[in-house]
Amino acid sequence: MPMAGPMSMAPEPGIMAAFEAAKGFMPVDEGLALYAAAAEAGRLGLPLLEIGTYCGRSTILLADAARAAGVTALTVDHHRGSEEQQPGWDYHDPETVDPGLGLMDTLPTFRRALHRAGLEDHVVALVGRSPRVAALWNSPLALVFVDGGHTDEHATADYEGWAPHVAEGGLLVIHDVFPDPVDEFTGQAPYRVHLRALASGAFTEVSATGSLRVLRRTGTGI
Ligand code: SAH
Ligand code: MG
């Protein structure tokens, strides 16, 4: 039986099953678009980086694309949850609370999901605030996936901290882009970041799937 090579643009059924079993906020169609972007960008031979690990749902796809391309997937999260995931808010999951601390901690759930997917070796988890990690970062990335906090403060900091590290020809992927305020579940900050990336002249839109936007770095001056 022929093996799926590094050019494969869809994950194996086992990876899709692990993805679908993981807690999180990534529909299948958008996940497949993310995977295709990651598989393509991985050909640059540079790492893929995600902001917003949560319980590892999208990370599984990035990790599998990274494995196929022979690169590393990095994923950044403080693991204390976004505003809308806190107790009492719409996106809260009581299972994500550390009972000893009474605070959210998605790190154990993420690690379990990644282990079950068989992808631990392909991922480096960076536990901390995105701007803090970005301030230490100084090497090019094949892909940056922005899926962290949805306030303007967080989304803007993610863009400013990480978009400059996308290599020429690499991809910037933004989740939860809702151009129409009627569709707005978690605010329009990612949409404003998307507009800003296009206006910068450094990025050109490649595809749109649901609320997922894929942009290619085609210029400088972010
Ligand atoms: N990609 C995930 C969903 C991410 S939810 C999936 O596929 O299901 C958003 C995540 O961003 C949360 O886990 C939250 O803790 C994290 N987050 C929000 N603001 C952050 C910040 N400033 N730095 C690091 N992580 C942040
Ligand atoms: Mg999201």
Side-chain angles (χ1 to χ4, degrees):
M1 196 177 122
M3 285 189 22
M7 299 304 173
S8 172
M9 287 294 177
E12 298 285 327
I15 297 297
M16 280 313 286
F19 163 76
E20 292 191 59
K23 285 182 191 289
F25 307 99
M26 175 66 56
V28 169
D29 61 334
E30 296 179 357
L32 291 174
L34 174 65
Y35 185 89
E40 194 230 279
R43 293 183 203 157
L44 292 176
L46 297 167
L48 317 173
L49 182 136
E50 165 180 73
I51 305 114
T53 318
Y54 191 61
C55 297
R57 189 170 162 96
S58 49
T59 318
I60 287 171
L61 300 179
L62 292 177
D64 192 55
R67 179 198 55 71
V71 301
T72 298
L74 297 137
T75 184
V76 182
D77 202 309
H78 48 55
H79 286 281
R80 297 294 184 209
S82 296
E83 284 79 356
E84 72 276 11
Q85 295 163 352
Q86 300 303 318
W89 294 85
D90 284 0
Y91 294 88
H92 182 63
D93 178 344
E95 288 177 4
T96 62
V97 175
D98 172 343
L101 289 180
L103 289 176
M104 277 182 69
D105 183 1
T106 49
L107 186 57
T109 313
F110 157 63
R111 297 207 70 204
R112 231 173 279 132
L114 197 63
H115 179 82
R116 285 184 181 142
L119 292 166
E120 272 186 329
D121 284 352
H122 305 283
V123 177
V124 173
L126 299 161
V127 181
R129 298 195 163 270
S130 165
R132 285 246 169 181
V133 185
L136 303 174
W137 198 258
N138 193 22
S139 62
L141 298 164
L143 176 142
V144 166
F145 175 46
V146 179
D147 195 21
H150 287 123
T151 64
D152 277 297
E153 180 199 346
H154 292 313
T156 299
D158 291 343
Y159 176 75
E160 291 179 354
W162 294 105
H165 298 295
V166 177
E168 175 82 34
L171 300 175
L172 175 68
V173 184
I174 308 170
H175 196 220
D176 304 303
V177 171
F178 296 109
D180 185 344
V182 174
D183 297 333
E184 177 182 342
F185 301 117
T186 49
Q188 285 188 297
Y191 175 58
R192 285 187 279 275
V193 162
H194 173 244
L195 292 181
R196 182 172 162 184
L198 291 175
S200 75
F203 293 98
T204 310
E205 185 143 327
V206 175
S207 70
T209 306
S211 73
L212 193 94
R213 297 291 181 279
V214 180
L215 287 71
R216 187 181 313 281
R217 181 140 194 200
T218 48
T220 52
I222 288 170

